[in-house]
Amino acid sequence: RIYIGDNTCHKTDPTPVGRYVAGIGLNRNNTSTRYATDVTVQDNTILSDVHNAYGYLAGIFVSDTFDNLCILGNMIYDNDSAIYQWC
């Protein structure tokens, strides 16, 4: 099992247009032929206090190329969108 946990992502500087404010992004490249399996994202803290940041986006961003992905006990603060899925 791959474990991503106990991290803090805190964005404090201005963000370029078109970029997310803060977070954890999980994605596979376009040539992947198999899904990533048994991944846990747990007990992370994600926050942004950047005024007028692009879309106020902070969160956990996940593609659809995972099997048995568990997202548990994460705290996401100061944003309009907590979870977004890449499709």
Side-chain angles (χ1 to χ4, degrees):
R1 178 162 285 279
I2 298 169
Y3 179 79
I4 302 168
D6 303 309
N7 296 293
T8 299
C9 301
H10 185 188
K11 181 66 174 174
T12 58
D13 295 330
T15 303
V17 173
R19 303 286 182 178
Y20 294 111
V21 176
I24 296 171
L26 301 174
N27 196 8
R28 301 287 306 268
N29 67 34
N30 291 337
T31 60
S32 297
T33 58
R34 301 174 73 184
Y35 282 20
T37 58
D38 300 325
V39 178
T40 298
V41 181
Q42 185 172 6
D43 297 329
N44 296 287
T45 301
I46 301 168
L47 59 132
S48 175
D49 50 16
V50 177
H51 180 67
N52 288 331
Y54 173 75
Y56 298 104
L57 292 175
I60 298 172
F61 307 93
V62 181
S63 73
D64 61 351
T65 55
F66 291 86
D67 186 22
N68 196 21
L69 171 66
C70 299
I71 301 176
L72 308 164
N74 297 284
M75 304 300 291
I76 303 173
Y77 299 101
D78 295 330
N79 56 76
D80 290 337
S81 179
I83 299 178
Y84 177 82
Q85 182 180 17
W86 287 318
C87 295

